[in-house]
Amino acid sequence: QRKMMIETTFHEAFHQYIYFATGEKSNSSWFNEGNAQFFEEIDFKGKKFEIGISEQQAKIMPRLTSLSEINRMLNIPHNNFYLKNKRTDNYALAWGLVFFLHKGAPVMKKKNNYNEIQMKYYDAILKTGNAKKATETAWEDVNMEEFAEDFNTFWNSKSLIKKATRYD
């Protein structure tokens, strides 16, 4: 219960942080919920910290890596994210996207610039104040078919996932 309470605190703290860091703007669900879950896995070790993997979410990811699922997540209306029949998949996919962008993309053998997507989103939300436009801007230069292929390769490779968990 203590671990769950700490994870929830980190999750909710991220929501508050990003709300104020973006000038009190509503953020896209993939970005907001994905990062909140990503930071649930933070583990402080003295003055340092590591961000690990959510084993529970990682188990679900291989079946959520299609281009249609990715596009659905990037365009999901805020209220639809929380629908009871899709909630588990939505949280897993938002987390999976963010984990991949932070830690998975940098360990892929094929050169990519996926780790720039989140900063592009952040800059765009500050500039436009519009979550939908910010998402479009962040992903506009990404070949989505290629991204989906790389995303699928990553989430179906135990060795890449293991490398990503160690990536700092």
Side-chain angles (χ1 to χ4, degrees):
Q1 284 183 339
R2 185 174 192 276
K3 182 180 182 322
M4 192 169 140
M5 182 181 73
I6 291 168
E7 288 174 353
T8 301
T9 300
F10 290 150
H11 180 108
E12 297 306 326
F14 179 82
H15 288 313
Q16 285 195 315
Y17 165 77
I18 203 63
Y19 178 72
F20 289 109
T22 59
E24 300 181 18
K25 306 289 187 280
S26 292
N27 285 273
S28 297
S29 295
W30 73 269
F31 181 84
N32 196 0
E33 291 297 348
N35 277 291
Q37 289 187 99
F38 179 76
F39 287 105
E40 280 181 21
E41 300 301 324
I42 198 166
D43 185 20
F44 290 95
K45 298 181 186 241
K47 293 181 180 181
K48 296 184 178 193
F49 67 90
E50 293 176 356
I51 298 177
I53 191 166
S54 169
E55 298 293 340
Q56 180 183 357
Q57 306 291 31
K59 287 178 190 173
I60 298 170
M61 282 310 302
R63 69 177 172 80
L64 300 174
T65 60
S66 70
L67 179 57
S68 62
E69 283 291 327
I70 295 165
N71 284 330
R72 182 183 67 76
M73 177 53 55
L74 295 179
N75 296 295
I76 194 167
H78 181 75
N79 289 342
N80 289 3
F81 186 91
Y82 304 99
L83 293 176
K84 195 172 188 172
N85 65 332
K86 287 295 259 180
R87 186 178 303 160
T88 300
D89 285 358
N90 289 341
Y91 274 102
L93 183 52
W95 170 83
L97 277 169
V98 169
F99 184 88
F100 178 72
L101 295 174
H102 277 300
K103 298 183 85 160
V107 302
M108 299 287 289
K109 287 181 182 176
K110 186 167 83 178
K111 188 118 172 97
N112 64 68
N113 62 345
Y114 302 145
N115 61 338
E116 298 172 6
I117 292 170
Q118 292 202 88
M119 200 61 201
K120 286 181 182 178
Y121 175 88
Y122 181 76
D123 291 343
I125 193 76
L126 290 177
K127 184 177 180 181
T128 68
N130 182 299
K132 184 176 170 61
K133 285 182 184 175
T135 293
E136 289 168 2
T137 299
W139 293 85
E140 70 187 352
D141 295 329
V142 177
N143 176 323
M144 292 306 292
E145 289 82 14
E146 196 172 303
F147 179 85
E149 186 179 310
D150 293 341
F151 191 63
N152 182 57
T153 297
F154 175 78
W155 284 113
N156 285 285
S157 169
K158 289 180 179 169
S159 64
L160 286 173
I161 293 169
K162 190 174 182 178
K163 272 186 186 177
T165 59
R166 294 188 307 257
Y167 180 77
D168 186 10

